[in-house]
Amino acid sequence: MSHPLRSVLADVGPDSCPGSFNFHCHTICSDGSLEPLELIRQASERGLSHLAVTDHHSARAFQPMADWLQAQRDAGAVVPTLWTGMEISCLLKGCLVHVLALGFEPGHAALEPYNRGDSVVGEALRADAVVKAIHTAGGLAVLAHPARYRLGHDVLIDEAARLGFDGGEAWYDYDMQTVWAPSPMICEAIDRQLANLGLLRTCGTDSHGIDLGGR
């Protein structure tokens, strides 16, 4: 599947976040502390190149941020590239996990059931259904923080690959430090597994507070 975000993610490494890339963060549109415009101003001040705000079951923050960025561009400012994003709950091998939908068409009908503030129930909760909806909407499906679940990342990533996931969140702060830093051994293992499967790797702070530099 050709997608313009693929070439961006090809450059993601352990030092990409939080200074250049951030593909996992939250606003008050789900369980974050920042207003959407506060977040995008902070991202611009930090000099980020690319980001996606991934509120849980909500893409409501995207349009006001996109409008603000366009106004800054019109005024001659250099600003980050903003991609659509949403964090969606689903069942993968019977384990409740989170999927980051990235770079999808805003307002696409396929993602409407997942864009209502709460997790879905029934067949729509299955990982294959979520991946299909994300792809139908033109987006990429990424397994969020693969080492935070009841099942091991090795099992979950293999199953995600089988179901057509596009990638996984390789670089993540599992220690939840004040200043974000990837957890070396586990992140390196996840990165290797994803690379061996030919999957994309992303990074993100998973920020819920008022500072994009930490969780």
Side-chain angles (χ1 to χ4, degrees), residues 146-159:
R148 283 190 63 186
Y149 305 115
R150 176 176 56 81
L151 296 180
H153 68 82
D154 51 344
V155 173
L156 292 173
I157 291 173
D158 280 350
E159 180 68 2

Side-chain angles (χ1 to χ4, degrees), residues 14-203:
D15 300 321
S16 299
C17 185
S20 298
F21 299 153
N22 194 342
F23 294 102
H24 191 170
C25 52
H26 299 273
T27 73
I28 62 166
C29 294
S30 65
D31 55 348
S33 302
L34 289 170
E35 296 274 356
L37 293 187
E38 291 175 330
L39 187 148
I40 199 60
R41 286 191 190 102
Q42 189 176 137
S44 297
E45 290 165 1
R46 286 176 169 270
L48 265 69
S49 298
H50 295 269
L51 79 152
V53 172
T54 52
D55 284 317
H56 294 273
H57 300 281
S58 174
R60 187 158 48 94
F62 176 77
Q63 197 56 55
M65 292 189 297
D67 291 343
W68 185 87
L69 288 171
Q70 187 58 55
Q72 299 304 303
R73 288 190 197 94
D74 291 345
V78 176
V79 293
T81 297
L82 176 67
W83 301 85
T84 50
M86 187 160 53
E87 189 166 8
I88 301 171
S89 299
C90 73
L91 288 174
L92 182 66
K93 283 193 78 70
C95 181
L96 188 65
V97 303
H98 294 167
V99 182
L100 301 176
L102 301 175
F104 53 85
E105 180 185 327
H108 196 287
L111 285 176
E112 184 54 30
Y114 304 100
N115 192 17
R116 298 174 181 172
D118 291 307
S119 177
V120 298
V121 296
E123 291 296 310
L125 187 62
R126 292 165 52 105
D128 55 349
V130 173
V131 171
K132 181 179 179 181
I134 294 170
H135 287 167
T136 300
L140 300 175
V142 173
L143 180 62
H145 38 62
R148 283 190 63 186
Y149 305 115
R150 176 176 56 81
L151 296 180
H153 68 82
D154 51 344
V155 173
L156 292 173
I157 291 173
D158 280 350
E159 180 68 2
R162 188 183 72 82
L163 293 179
F165 278 59
D166 301 284
E169 193 170 27
W171 305 104
Y172 187 84
D173 186 355
Y174 289 99
D175 300 313
M176 299 185 186
Q177 303 166 83
T178 303
V179 177
W180 189 93
S183 303
M185 292 181 64
I186 188 64
C187 289
E188 289 162 8
I190 289 170
D191 184 63
R192 283 194 303 271
Q193 184 181 4
L194 291 167
N196 288 340
L197 290 166
L199 297 180
L200 299 168
R201 284 95 83 198
T202 72
C203 62

